[in-house]
Amino acid sequence: MALDKATIEKLAKHCEDAEINAYEITKITDDYPEMTYEDAFDIQWTARRNKEARGTKIIGMKMGLTSQAKMKQMGVENPCYGYLADYFAYGDGAEIEIDKLIHPKVEAEIAFVLKEDLAGPGCHIGDVIAATDFVMPAVEVIDSRYKDFKFDLKSVIADNSSSSRYVTGGQARDIKDLDLKTLGVVMEINGEIVQLGAGAAVLGHPATSIAMLANMMAERGETLKKGEYILSGAITAAIAVKKGDNVNVKFQDLGSVSFKFV
Ligand code: 0L1
Ligand code: MG
């Protein structure tokens, strides 16, 4: 740990203010090159506790940077995680106000809801399948607070892994009835196909990503909780959107998720 408590608090507010008021900041490691991974997670968890203290409910978690392609695209070495706040959540058919965001991008994901708490270390794909109540299709809207989406892994962790909004729809299904590895996804924007993918893009299988999340959280003595909504990571590349765009994502065996940026 390289940063003191006062600096962690200051940086948590710095990132959260940028998120709430939708403005760009430069990556934290430019000013604090000595920042460690522990500091970065401390900043994220401090912002989360500050939101909770103000009455915001944290309703789940997300994994990010879960594909080799995405890690390469962003120039980072490992996946990361973040939390989902109540006001991030939208339903099928939603209209999302783009002026409240900076430079949003959309990506198709499988969401998990647990019927039991899930704890690492040593959590594996079988534990995740046994603890899953149901899975649902989702589209995550990421919105890095960093200028031009330029960051390193520590800075992105401090910025809650670019969490911003998510839309859920389609059908809730039993994970045991699905092959999430081969499950196909078609993303359309304004009726044009912009991305295709399959569940295996997410660390080989989306449930593997949830196991990794439980193991990463265990490093801080934290666990995934029953009933939490958990985004497992992007099946498609993240696509930039603009005002007026209609997003429609079709998930094999799970239905579709549609919404609009207004
Ligand atoms: O959900 C994601 O995979 C995004 C994680 C953070 C990196 C980014 O903003 O692209
Ligand atoms: Mg994502």
Side-chain angles (χ1 to χ4, degrees):
M1 201 166 158
L3 305 182
D4 60 24
K5 200 164 177 311
T7 308
I8 298 283
E9 286 284 354
K10 186 179 87 174
L11 292 173
K13 184 167 171 7
H14 176 66
C15 289
E16 211 207 339
D17 283 351
E19 180 250 309
I20 293 169
N21 300 305
Y23 59 79
E24 289 179 343
I25 53 178
T26 51
K27 70 181 197 307
I28 294 181
T29 47
D30 288 351
D31 295 321
Y32 298 90
E34 72 280 24
M35 181 168 93
T36 65
Y37 281 102
E38 196 186 349
D39 293 328
F41 278 114
D42 279 352
I43 293 167
Q44 184 190 124
W45 280 89
T46 300
R48 172 185 173 140
R49 303 285 181 233
N50 290 344
K51 277 195 194 308
E52 287 178 304
R54 295 197 307 271
T56 298
K57 196 162 177 235
I58 303 305
I59 50 92
M61 296 293 292
K62 68 163 271 186
M63 276 293 267
L65 299 174
T66 45
S67 71
Q68 291 304 333
K70 186 111 188 235
M71 283 187 259
K72 197 165 164 214
Q73 181 191 359
M74 294 297 164
V76 304
E77 322 79 47
N78 286 301
C80 54
Y81 69 74
Y83 56 84
L84 302 176
D86 50 9
Y87 65 89
F88 295 1
Y90 284 78
D92 207 20
E95 295 195 334
I96 297 183
E97 287 176 81
I98 205 157
D99 292 344
K100 293 192 173 163
L101 308 175
I102 306 164
H103 40 204
K105 297 182 182 180
V106 291
E107 46 188 35
E109 309 215 2
I110 303 290
F112 286 63
V113 176
L114 302 178
K115 59 186 172 196
E116 294 162 20
D117 293 357
L118 197 55
C123 182
H124 59 74
I125 185 170
D127 296 325
V128 176
I129 291 170
T132 298
D133 195 358
F134 54 87
V135 294
M136 290 185 81
V139 177
E140 185 182 18
V141 180
I142 54 169
D143 194 30
S144 173
R145 269 54 68 171
Y146 297 119
K147 192 167 164 23
D148 303 327
F149 263 86
K150 294 257 167 49
F151 44 69
D152 50 26
L153 190 55
K154 290 174 193 167
S155 295
V156 84
I157 289 167
D159 181 35
N160 193 22
S161 296
S162 308
S163 305
S164 174
R165 302 284 184 269
Y166 69 86
V167 186
T168 196
Q171 296 149 26
R173 296 279 309 268
D174 191 326
I175 190 170
K176 298 192 183 77
D177 296 337
L178 300 166
D179 178 1
L180 292 186
K181 191 168 185 159
T182 59
L183 188 139
V185 167
V186 178
M187 178 188 280
E188 295 172 354
I189 298 188
N190 303 325
E192 191 184 321
I193 296 173
V194 292
Q195 281 291 305
L196 304 170
V202 185
L203 295 172
H205 190 295
T208 303
S209 173
I210 305 297
M212 184 182 268
L213 173 59
N215 291 328
M216 288 167 80
M217 288 177 70
E219 290 170 19
R220 295 184 66 93
E222 302 283 351
T223 55
L224 290 168
K225 299 284 188 307
K226 173 184 171 176
E228 279 188 334
Y229 188 93
I230 310 166
L231 293 171
S232 56
I235 293 172
T236 59
I239 302 297
V241 287
K242 59 183 186 325
K243 194 175 269 195
D245 279 351
N246 282 291
V247 180
N248 177 271
V249 185
K250 297 177 174 73
F251 292 75
Q252 184 182 357
D253 299 329
L254 287 172
S256 63
V257 179
S258 300
F259 59 101
K260 183 172 184 174
F261 286 95
V262 295

